[in-house]
Amino acid sequence: MILTGLLIGAALGYVLQRSRFCVTGAFRDIYLSRSTRYFTPFMLAIAIQAVGVAALTSAGVLSPEAASFAPLAVIGGGLIFGVGIILAGGCATGTYYRAGEGLIGSWVALIFYALFAAVMKFGPLGGFTEAARARTVGSATIQETLGVSVWVPTVVFAGLVAALVVWQVRRNAVRSAGRSAVSLPARRTGIGHYLADIPWSPWVGGVLLGLIAILAWVASTAAGRNGGLGITTPSAKIVTFLSTGDVTLVDWSVMLVLGILVGSFIAAKLAGEFRWRVPDASTILRSAGGGVAMGVGAALAGGCTIGNSLVETSLFSYQGWVSLIAIILGTWGAAWFLLVRPQRAAASNRPAPVLTPAA
């Protein structure tokens, strides 16, 4: 049954690569360009998963358990993770699918991310992480605090997302009115053209991400693991397995993350987008630093942009939503320090143009 993890991971990697769906860009672009091009589809993915999981829970198919809320660890870890994904140039899933495209910088970030997640979870700093995450408070979910069914926050959130989707679709329609699209000649015909030739819109990526997330819950539960999509813990398990040889660590979730590499590689090869790309030394160092911050932050927060921002939010856990906000703030802070501030400094140091009098 754990091989279903490989298949779902491959589907996830394929979708991420073809839609260029990266949560880092979704969070960063809200600040840098005031764009919700990827953020709204990401919210749509959460809403789709929330409805699906609530329905399957009501039917007795699933019995999800939300993570307990350790505010200091979640906030601190989320901020660190947000900084890390700007340094690395991609979140956990973004790093995986770009590694499948042949980006060496993503491989560097991925290696350090997995390594330090293992150190924080199963290695020398495991005790520190456990102690930090043991400082929990109150209820784990919004519905527990309110004393209502999970359907109440699910319906409210789905309604808000639906309104947001309608608003963004209408705004996009106004902006694109009168524009003529330029398309290249198709290399394939039929379904192959849609699968590999043309890039998928963020809406396709968001809808498919939500559906894959639901399927992951079902397949993971059938394999004996009560959980949905997850990236940080299986990444840490891979490193621990390679260092200890403990085959019991190779479970459904490990197959999932390996499948992301396989799926993104297949998508990139079919689209003619795979090639090995070696960055300069400074980019490699930034990628390594980003990987370290991602591993440390995700371990403390109890998840990354998938485990927390996508999965835990769909359960309406405080860990998921507080972590989401902390990651966004960390992303914005790092974007200002690493992207905006240098640009402003360069602009202020640029000499003013010399105006010559007209003849």
Side-chain angles (χ1 to χ4, degrees), residues 119-133:
V119 168
M120 293 293 293
K121 282 181 166 288
F122 307 121
L125 295 179
F128 170 75
T129 303
E130 184 177 351
R133 291 198 49 75

Side-chain angles (χ1 to χ4, degrees), residues 191-289:
I191 191 172
H193 174 65
Y194 296 99
L195 288 177
D197 282 353
I198 59 175
W200 296 357
S201 78
W203 296 114
V204 173
V207 170
L208 291 179
L209 178 59
L211 295 176
I212 289 173
I214 297 171
L215 183 60
W217 272 101
V218 177
S220 177
T221 300
R225 172 182 172 270
N226 186 21
L229 294 174
I231 308 295
T232 302
T233 298
S235 298
K237 285 182 176 180
I238 291 174
V239 172
T240 308
F241 163 71
L242 292 175
S243 60
T244 65
D246 185 0
V247 295
T248 61
L249 294 169
V250 182
D251 59 4
W252 188 92
S253 64
V254 169
M255 292 293 104
L256 173 79
V257 295
L258 293 178
I260 297 174
L261 290 172
V262 174
S264 62
F265 170 75
I266 293 173
K269 286 292 287 184
L270 290 176
E273 297 174 355
F274 177 86
R275 66 182 185 276
W276 294 111
R277 284 159 282 184
V278 182
D280 56 33
S282 62
T283 301
I284 289 179
L285 289 175
R286 278 182 56 166
S287 297

Side-chain angles (χ1 to χ4, degrees), residues 169-195:
V169 168
R170 288 178 175 175
R171 187 179 66 165
N172 292 345
V174 171
R175 288 183 174 181
S176 61
R179 295 179 183 175
S180 58
V182 177
S183 59
L184 297 174
R187 296 191 302 158
R188 300 175 179 85
T189 58
I191 191 172
H193 174 65
Y194 296 99
L195 288 177

Side-chain angles (χ1 to χ4, degrees), residues 67-130:
S68 56
F69 182 42
L72 294 180
V74 170
I75 295 172
L79 290 171
I80 294 171
F81 186 85
V83 172
I85 62 179
I86 291 295
L87 285 169
C91 61
T93 48
T95 302
Y96 265 98
Y97 93 69
R98 289 195 175 107
E101 292 179 335
L103 274 68
I104 299 300
S106 293
W107 277 104
V108 171
L110 183 58
I111 290 170
F112 278 90
Y113 162 58
L115 176 61
F116 274 82
V119 168
M120 293 293 293
K121 282 181 166 288
F122 307 121
L125 295 179
F128 170 75
T129 303
E130 184 177 351

